[in-house]
Amino acid sequence: DISFPRDLPSIRISPSVLWRRLQLILVLCFVNVGFLAITPYVIYGHPLSSPTLLLILWLSINGPICWWHSRKKQSDNVRQISVKHGIWILEIENRKYYCELNAEILCWQWILIIPLYSAESRSVIRLVILRDSISAEENSILRRWIHSECG
């Protein structure tokens, strides 16, 4: 006799503001490291080099990146996840994926990473849930369910 874990009620996962800010910080770090690498060549190779010119160049590189990131549409809008009879159901943009747990769930205080395998799309979906992605009540329900059913 196969016993399935308790069902997990549907939990709404919103896009994380913290995750978007972390992405912007990483992109700006990579761009600025490149900028710092070429700065000596700009200073010594250009007759009009000055701190003002470097500041204008720096703003002309970082400004559009910040503007683009603020205007970029969130690709994964509101998602929902639930478990019924041992099958994980992930709904992204009105499309349902029926998944199995692929590996152990990472459950830290500020982040949850749930690796799911979708046989339909033959891919692993790593669901990253930060603390600001779900309400405090749903966060508590999800964490208690994971600890009781997944160990």
Side-chain angles (χ1 to χ4, degrees):
D1 186 36
I2 299 174
S3 67
F4 293 108
R6 283 185 306 129
D7 290 348
L8 174 68
S10 184
I11 294 190
R12 181 186 164 120
I13 305 167
S14 300
S16 172
V17 174
L18 178 62
W19 184 252
R20 285 186 47 85
R21 287 182 184 154
L22 286 173
Q23 286 177 331
L24 178 61
I25 289 169
L26 284 174
V27 167
L28 288 176
C29 284
F30 286 128
V31 167
N32 286 313
V33 164
F35 179 76
L36 288 175
I38 66 165
T39 299
Y41 301 108
V42 172
I43 290 176
Y44 296 119
H46 198 280
L48 298 174
S49 63
S50 69
T52 307
L53 179 66
L54 286 176
L55 179 63
I56 291 170
L57 183 62
W58 183 81
L59 287 174
S60 67
I61 291 171
N62 288 307
I65 291 172
C66 292
W67 178 80
W68 169 77
H69 195 269
S70 69
R71 306 276 297 163
K72 188 172 74 168
K73 184 179 180 249
Q74 195 74 12
S75 61
D76 291 338
N77 293 331
V78 175
R79 304 177 232 176
Q80 293 205 356
I81 189 166
S82 61
V83 178
K84 299 218 186 311
H85 305 295
I87 304 293
W88 291 73
I89 303 168
L90 177 61
E91 188 175 334
I92 302 173
E93 295 177 354
N94 297 326
R95 183 163 182 217
K96 286 188 178 183
Y97 296 91
Y98 297 93
C99 306
E100 300 172 354
L101 196 58
N102 188 45
E104 288 189 16
I105 297 173
L106 175 68
C107 185
W108 288 346
Q109 185 175 6
W110 60 280
I111 190 170
L112 274 167
I113 300 177
I114 305 173
L116 301 171
Y117 176 75
S118 172
E120 177 184 332
S121 64
R122 296 183 186 158
S123 63
V124 175
I125 301 169
R126 285 180 186 81
L127 186 61
V128 178
I129 304 170
L130 293 174
R131 197 164 218 161
D132 67 339
S133 298
I134 56 179
S135 68
E137 180 183 339
E138 288 182 332
N139 188 13
S140 175
I141 291 170
L142 181 59
R143 287 175 183 278
R144 276 189 273 132
W145 187 90
I146 288 171
H147 286 296
S148 68
E149 300 300 328
C150 300

